[in-house]
Amino acid sequence: MNAPNDLNIKLTSFSHGGGCGCKIAPGVLAEILKNSSGFPVPKELMVGIETADDAAVYKLNDEQALIATTDFFMPIVDDPYDFGRIAATNAISDVYAMGGTPIMALALVGMPINKLPVEIIGRIIQGGESICAEAGIPIAGGHTIDSVEPIYGLVVLGLVHPSKVKRNADAKPGDKLILGKPLGVGILSAALKKDVLDAAGYAAMIENTTKLNKPGKALSDLPGVHALTDVTGFGLLGHLLELSRGAGLTAKLSMAQIPLLPNVQQLAESGCITGASGRNWAGYGHDVALADAVTPVQQMLLTDPQTSGGLLVSCAPDTVDEVLALFRREGFGHAAVIGEMTAGPAKVEVAA
């Protein structure tokens, strides 16, 4: 099932990969960046590239720090309005993942002008505008190019108090791990491409990928929340490894506690998996210890690229109830405790 557009054009047919599955594989990215030269870092730059965090943070004064991020990708669905909504939600999420409040966006638009009618392109942009309106921010400008594949996304700016920035590197031993959204977007997108995703599955996919991670702003007010990130193209394991490496700790996951979107395990068992899942595992699997009872399909779920995925919170045990209640108030009914951070080497251990 794929929501049709008026001109019956399949946007996904233009793209070699969709959504956050377009990301360069972590192993290849590490190889590309390994010889990057250092550069002077101003003291005002609170968060840069050192821990692969979600956004850059620059201190403006004692009360304000500027958050800057960008994200864009190729279509994950055929409906242009839904594509625009998903891409915008995904881009804005990085500001929430730093504990910030978005203030404005710039659009990044690359389209095959000779192949896509302007009406379709307009609907993509309108979809992005609708999410920005929901977030309470304007699209204040942007840039467009004629591209071989459709590309849409945003540059997003936000603000946060310097003392409330939530980095991905500050987890502490004993912290509990909480995931705000269920996994399985990549599985559903693969099913969509195979034309085996039903209407209910498509609806679940769109609901998940267009839900703004607004709890991030309120999480910044909780001293017991030590680290925060969002789960996107590198899958749950990849982004959790970033937390582990930043803090120098071992993350322990319980597979049975991880929330999943409806029917994703069955779809994965039938072969609906993305190529990005395997590339993710190849890039970081050496730092993951899977219990014998963890199945190959469950491994795929843990590496499944999540377009516009959920917030991943590392918090003190006595803050768990408050964090879960916050998620529930914002409509994140699947939020769940999925593991904990412990003393040990920077790796992830997964129990069944």
Side-chain angles (χ1 to χ4, degrees), residues 12-337:
T12 52
S13 68
F14 291 89
S15 58
H16 74 278
C20 286
C22 297
K23 276 190 173 182
I24 294 176
V28 177
L29 183 60
E31 184 69 19
I32 292 171
L33 297 177
K34 72 176 182 180
N35 293 321
S36 295
S37 59
F39 53 88
V41 177
K43 61 181 176 55
E44 294 86 358
L45 187 63
M46 298 178 63
V47 182
I49 63 173
E50 58 279 353
T51 60
D53 218 323
D54 298 291
V57 182
Y58 189 94
K59 184 177 180 179
L60 300 174
N61 51 56
D62 290 342
E63 299 295 322
Q64 293 177 312
L66 179 69
I67 301 171
T69 185
T70 185
D71 220 314
F72 52 89
F73 47 62
M74 292 161 291
I76 188 173
V77 294
D78 290 325
D79 183 90
Y81 191 76
D82 284 345
F83 170 40
R85 293 169 67 212
I86 293 167
T89 306
N90 181 74
I92 296 170
S93 179
D94 286 340
V95 171
Y96 293 128
M98 302 305 300
T101 301
I103 57 172
M104 88 174 170
L106 306 173
L108 300 172
V109 183
M111 295 290 157
I113 300 299
N114 62 335
K115 296 180 181 179
L116 278 184
V118 294
E119 295 90 342
I120 295 293
I121 299 172
R123 287 293 286 166
I124 294 171
I125 293 171
Q126 289 165 15
E129 290 172 342
S130 74
I131 292 297
C132 287
E134 186 179 336
I137 63 173
I139 295 181
H143 185 64
T144 60
I145 62 168
D146 188 355
S147 172
V148 175
E149 296 178 272
I151 298 169
Y152 179 72
L154 301 174
V155 173
V156 188
L157 301 179
L159 291 173
V160 65
H161 192 284
S163 68
K164 296 182 178 180
V165 174
K166 298 299 181 182
R167 304 195 310 156
N168 69 351
D170 296 329
K172 300 183 185 304
D175 276 0
K176 298 298 183 181
L177 294 167
I178 297 174
L179 181 63
K181 289 184 182 181
L183 300 182
V185 172
I187 303 297
L188 296 182
S189 71
L192 188 64
K193 282 196 169 185
K194 291 175 178 286
D195 203 26
V196 295
L197 187 65
D198 61 19
Y202 184 82
M205 178 182 174
I206 298 302
E207 180 184 7
N208 204 64
T209 53
T210 59
K211 182 183 287 292
L212 286 163
N213 280 322
K214 290 182 178 181
K217 177 184 175 183
L219 289 169
S220 72
D221 292 326
L222 302 181
V225 171
H226 299 141
L228 188 60
T229 190
D230 61 354
V231 179
T232 54
F234 296 152
L236 176 59
L237 288 181
H239 295 284
L240 183 52
L241 271 169
E242 291 173 347
L243 263 72
S244 297
R245 290 165 179 165
L249 298 173
T250 297
K252 294 189 176 183
L253 288 181
S254 171
M255 190 69 214
Q257 294 176 265
I258 297 172
L260 302 175
L261 285 163
N263 298 320
V264 295
Q265 185 146 335
Q266 296 91 320
L267 287 168
E269 288 170 351
S270 70
C272 293
I273 56 176
T274 71
S277 183
R279 293 192 296 272
N280 281 342
W281 181 256
Y284 55 65
H286 55 276
D287 286 330
V288 179
L290 300 177
D292 291 341
V294 176
T295 68
V297 166
Q298 289 174 326
Q299 176 188 311
M300 292 295 181
L301 289 167
L302 293 170
T303 57
D304 187 48
Q306 301 305 289
T307 301
S308 190
L311 294 175
L312 179 61
V313 185
S314 181
C315 67
D318 60 6
T319 309
V320 167
D321 289 345
E322 195 171 2
V323 171
L324 290 175
L326 193 160
F327 273 118
R328 302 282 189 268
R329 287 196 301 271
E330 293 284 351
F332 290 76
H334 290 91
V337 177

